[in-house]
Amino acid sequence: MCRRRRAVYGVWVIVRTEWTMPHSPDVLWPALCDSRLELQPRCPVFYLGTPRPTSCRLPDGPGEVGATRQCVSEQGVVRQRITLWEPPTRLAFHMESTDLHFHRFVDHLGDLFELAPVSGGTRVIRTTTVTVRGWGRAALEPALWVGLKSVHRFVFRNWQKMALSPPAAV
């Protein structure tokens, strides 16, 4: 699903992907903030320059609203701030800075993960919103949408294949 909305300084690109995982929300939740993505990508956009995620982590300690989250790719790091922390159902964050090449034309990049139990696992919905700026944004928007959709699918395929274990008892 691709939606566009006019934003104050650019155009919002919204990418939404839904996937069903064979894990419960409690088991899947830790992967949102601490996981390594090791599968080889199937999509050719990664070979054309789309950053391929390799891991995500909470570098400063436990997750909570206001905590830092990092997503690392082969080309650089996206540093994010957590804005919604509702384990094991909802996580949201927005980009604060990055050293990836797209920083020149992206003003805002935010993500929302929603997890809901379904028969045999968890339905995960990931919604990414991006504000694109600059004169070439009409050409960038479709490429950005395809790249983000590919990242969503790549991450979900990795999580689906991961040997996740239940959280430790408290």
Side-chain angles (χ1 to χ4, degrees):
M1 171 189 309
C2 180
R3 286 190 245 158
R4 292 171 28 153
R5 287 190 343 222
R6 183 73 43 203
V8 176
Y9 298 107
V11 174
W12 287 98
V13 175
I14 301 171
V15 181
R16 183 173 184 261
T17 306
E18 186 174 320
W19 201 276
T20 301
M21 302 282 182
H23 312 289
S24 71
D26 287 330
V27 170
L28 186 58
W29 179 262
L32 275 71
C33 292
D34 185 21
S35 61
R36 291 207 158 307
L37 308 172
E38 297 174 350
L39 295 179
Q40 289 302 311
R42 294 183 195 168
C43 184
V45 301
F46 292 108
Y47 302 104
L48 299 173
T50 297
R52 180 177 72 86
T54 57
S55 67
C56 64
R57 61 183 178 236
L58 299 174
D60 300 328
E64 61 186 358
V65 171
T68 301
R69 182 178 187 269
Q70 287 183 339
C71 281
V72 180
S73 76
E74 294 175 323
Q75 294 94 338
V77 178
V78 177
R79 286 164 290 288
Q80 304 158 327
R81 185 71 53 200
I82 295 174
T83 57
L84 178 67
W85 180 265
E86 297 176 0
T89 58
R90 295 179 358 135
L91 170 65
F93 45 86
H94 67 270
M95 178 179 72
E96 288 196 322
S97 64
T98 186
D99 55 3
L100 293 170
H101 64 278
F102 65 72
H103 76 278
R104 295 183 310 258
F105 56 86
V106 169
D107 280 325
H108 168 84
L109 188 143
D111 268 295
L112 170 64
F113 285 91
E114 299 171 283
L115 287 70
V118 295
S119 177
T122 300
R123 182 184 74 240
V124 182
I125 299 171
R126 181 177 184 177
T127 305
T128 302
T129 56
V130 181
T131 304
V132 183
R133 69 174 177 270
W135 294 103
R137 71 176 175 249
L140 292 172
E141 289 170 15
L144 191 58
W145 188 91
V146 168
L148 286 168
K149 191 68 157 180
S150 299
V151 167
H152 286 197
R153 291 177 177 157
F154 176 72
V155 169
F156 286 162
R157 266 198 316 278
N158 269 270
W159 288 350
Q160 194 165 7
K161 301 285 184 189
M162 289 172 68
L164 301 176
S165 51
V170 181

